Amino acid sequence: MTFDRRIKIAPSILSADFANFGAEIRAIEAEGADWVHVDVMDGHFVPNLTFGPPAVKAFRPHVSTFMDVHLMIAPVDPYIEAYAEAGADMITAHIEAGPHIHRTIQAIKATGKMAGVSLNPGTPAESIEHLLDLVDMVLVMSVNPGFGGQKFIPSAVEKVSKVREMIGDREIMIQVDGGVDPVTVGPLVAAGADCFVAGSAVFKGGSVSNPSVYGQNIRAIRAAAEAAR
Ligand code: DX5
Ligand code: ZN
């Protein structure tokens, strides 16, 4: 993938039908998703459990865009290679997941995949300053990770502005994850974010047998984002 700052919408399949991932992934892509966001949870770093590497590997053949794997696990390092081999295009790890985030990012880059670093809502923007020459993306969490459908935490907007300023002219994307919808996306774009994860706001009201609703939901987020640029 070459760097650009176009608006990207990355539906989180955490809000998809868990008995039908292949069809759900194909449906959101057909309806305009730019990326597919996969939330990996371990029941330890976050209070929920989701997808191991074999599940991610099973999703891969259905993804024709870009598979963005968000690791909410601790420790991270022992699993990086397995998620890379499962077919992730981007692997994002949390700065709070252990004492050696710099090593973790190096390990992700060593697999040849793109690397993201994520900050929880309580973690200051400044904490990633010394990682900016290593990462392809900064993920600003706008909810405490663990579940879909939570309420947007507004201080994420100010954090996005700070991160954008720190990035300067480096080729780094800013992603926001949690409670993103057509209302919350505008200020985030104005603050400098370009990639938006949305679970409930994309999947609500739709299904694989009624996928045009996914398209309407994606277009509504994208239109609000583009209007705020
Ligand atoms: C939260 C996950 C998110 C979540 C977003 O821990 O990282 O990707 O699925 O869901 P919504 O858009 O419903 O807040
Ligand atoms: Zn996520």
Side-chain angles (χ1 to χ4, degrees):
M1 195 186 86
T2 53
F3 178 79
D4 67 59
R5 291 215 41 214
R6 272 180 296 186
I7 299 292
K8 294 165 195 74
I9 310 295
S12 164
I13 58 166
L14 190 61
S15 296
D17 173 1
F18 269 43
N20 213 357
F21 281 117
E24 290 277 42
I25 289 168
R26 295 193 304 274
I28 52 172
E29 288 194 336
E31 294 294 333
D34 298 287
W35 292 6
V36 174
H37 183 84
V38 179
D39 284 307
V40 173
M41 305 185 179
D42 67 350
H44 168 74
F45 179 68
V46 291
N48 196 0
L49 268 173
T50 59
F51 314 120
V56 175
K57 189 175 180 183
F59 304 154
R60 180 70 249 188
H62 301 280
V63 177
S64 53
T65 55
F66 185 86
M67 189 161 67
D68 165 30
V69 176
H70 177 192
L71 298 181
M72 288 161 274
I73 64 177
V76 189
D77 297 10
Y79 303 101
I80 289 171
E81 243 177 75
Y83 284 100
E85 274 165 22
D89 293 303
M90 162 93 73
I91 297 178
T92 299
H94 271 260
I95 191 162
E96 306 85 2
H100 298 295
I101 184 68
H102 191 282
R103 173 181 286 146
T104 300
I105 300 297
Q106 285 179 320
I108 296 171
K109 295 298 281 188
T111 67
K113 307 298 183 175
M114 295 179 87
V117 62
S118 182
L119 301 95
N120 280 334
T123 303
E126 290 74 14
S127 59
I128 56 160
E129 189 183 341
H130 301 291
L131 298 169
L132 290 176
D133 288 323
L134 280 178
V135 296
D136 301 289
M137 187 175 82
V138 176
L139 165 51
V140 174
M141 290 304 299
S142 42
V143 297
N144 287 298
F147 304 96
Q150 302 183 81
K151 200 172 173 299
F152 181 77
I153 298 172
S155 60
V157 176
E158 195 196 325
K159 195 186 288 183
V160 168
S161 305
K162 282 194 185 163
V163 172
R164 183 47 75 194
E165 206 182 305
M166 288 162 61
I167 286 173
D169 56 12
R170 295 175 182 92
E171 296 194 340
I172 301 177
M173 291 173 276
I174 300 183
Q175 183 179 61
V176 182
D177 185 359
V180 173
D181 64 23
V183 174
T184 56
V185 79
L188 293 167
V189 172
D194 28 42
C195 181
F196 300 96
V197 177
S200 18
V202 167
F203 285 92
K204 69 159 198 274
S207 67
V208 290
S209 47
N210 188 17
S212 64
V213 176
Y214 296 161
Q216 288 163 24
N217 292 342
I218 291 169
R219 284 191 297 278
I221 301 167
R222 195 188 301 284
E226 280 167 358
R229 268 242 162 116

